[in-house]
Amino acid sequence: MPGQGVTPTPATSSGPLILFGGTFDPVHRAHISAARSVSKALQQAPVYLMPNAVPPHRPQPLADASQRLAMLKLAIAAYPQLHIDDRELRRDGPSYTIDTLLELRREHPARPLVLVLGADSLAALQHWHRWREYPPLCHLVVLPRPGAAEPDERVLGAFPKAEAGQLCTLPAGRRLMLPAPNLDVSSTAIRRALAEKGHCPALDADVLAHIHQHGLYTVAVNASPNDEDS
Ligand code: ATP
């Protein structure tokens, strides 16, 4: 069962179902701006922020799943078009996006499914588990991100560029590049700022209050096993 405050993706609607996966460690203003921009570009469709349990492509999160979920709930509270789907937190093992896409496609056989990525994630997509199986399953919407590398030609070729309207009618396989927002914000920089100064303007005020209340991010990085030997 989804946790309290988490909306299951409705099986009955026919408009696009927009998924925005991430570690959200912690969720920040660029995540929320991105989610709102994508909803606006695609007929105000609902956006589901999808926190991952064990991200396979990066270091493990500093805050645990329940804390990251609690911060997400606070960050989306003012935005009725934003929701949370916690299915990856309820699954054991690494959070592979392909498993989520296959599951959602079974639940919504003909509905447009849209995966939202920052340009940095697009540039690494060719390393994601079974990415070549994505095109029949979902569209991509890509947000600009300062400093992102160029995407791989194979990925661009697998997802031809399209207009927003096509992403709202076809079930999958197209790519929309949004020009904005282009915000130089990252959870990494925020964790560093919190550990050094205890605050950061790129966080929602309620999220920051939650971080203080629970003593999160007092160090910027997780201790690795080797750290214990030194
Ligand atoms: P970290 O610094 O810990 O890697 P992050 O800020 O990149 O975190 P994630 O939770 O890893 O945040 O990101 C989830 C998704 O949001 C990814 O697709 C990422 O590319 C995108 N994203 C995060 N920050 C931005 C940003 N400033 N602009 C555009 N996309 C972003």
Side-chain angles (χ1 to χ4, degrees), residues 3-55:
Q4 195 190 11
V6 176
T7 330
T9 50
T12 47
S13 292
S14 57
L17 182 58
I18 308 174
L19 312 160
F20 188 15
T23 310
F24 304 116
D25 186 28
V27 58
H28 52 64
R29 290 195 194 279
H31 292 133
I32 299 302
S33 300
R36 294 175 66 204
S37 299
V38 177
S39 173
K40 194 170 167 200
L42 300 182
Q43 302 176 346
Q44 303 291 351
V47 177
Y48 290 82
L49 289 101
M50 197 174 278
N52 50 34
V54 183

Side-chain angles (χ1 to χ4, degrees), residues 4 15 27 29 34 39 47 49 69 72 74 90 92 119 126 166 170 182 186-187 194 200 207 219 221-222:
Q4 195 190 11
V27 58
R29 290 195 194 279
S39 173
V47 177
L49 289 101
L69 189 57
L72 271 175
L74 292 169
R90 290 181 278 114
D92 289 333
Q126 69 279 9
Q166 291 176 278
L170 299 172
N182 193 4
S186 73
S187 296
L194 287 169
C200 178
V207 171
V219 293
V221 287
N222 254 332

Side-chain angles (χ1 to χ4, degrees), residues 20-26 28 30-31 34 58 116-122 128 143-146 181-189 191:
F20 188 15
T23 310
F24 304 116
D25 186 28
H28 52 64
H31 292 133
R58 46 168 293 149
V116 180
L117 301 169
D120 59 314
S121 299
L122 181 74
W128 290 23
L143 280 311
R145 193 166 189 188
N182 193 4
L183 302 172
D184 193 6
V185 174
S186 73
S187 296
T188 303
R191 291 193 296 274

Side-chain angles (χ1 to χ4, degrees), residues 125-196:
L125 196 72
Q126 69 279 9
H127 302 302
W128 290 23
H129 188 50
R130 294 167 59 187
W131 75 270
R132 288 179 189 279
E133 296 175 43
Y134 286 20
L137 297 172
C138 67
H139 299 296
L140 300 183
V141 172
V142 183
L143 280 311
R145 193 166 189 188
E150 286 300 312
D152 190 292
E153 288 299 329
R154 289 168 296 173
V155 171
L156 298 184
F159 286 94
K161 232 170 161 174
E163 301 296 323
Q166 291 176 278
L167 275 75
C168 296
T169 48
L170 299 172
R174 299 291 191 275
R175 170 173 47 95
L176 177 68
M177 309 295 286
L178 286 187
N182 193 4
L183 302 172
D184 193 6
V185 174
S186 73
S187 296
T188 303
I190 291 171
R191 291 193 296 274
R192 200 175 305 126
L194 287 169
E196 287 170 5

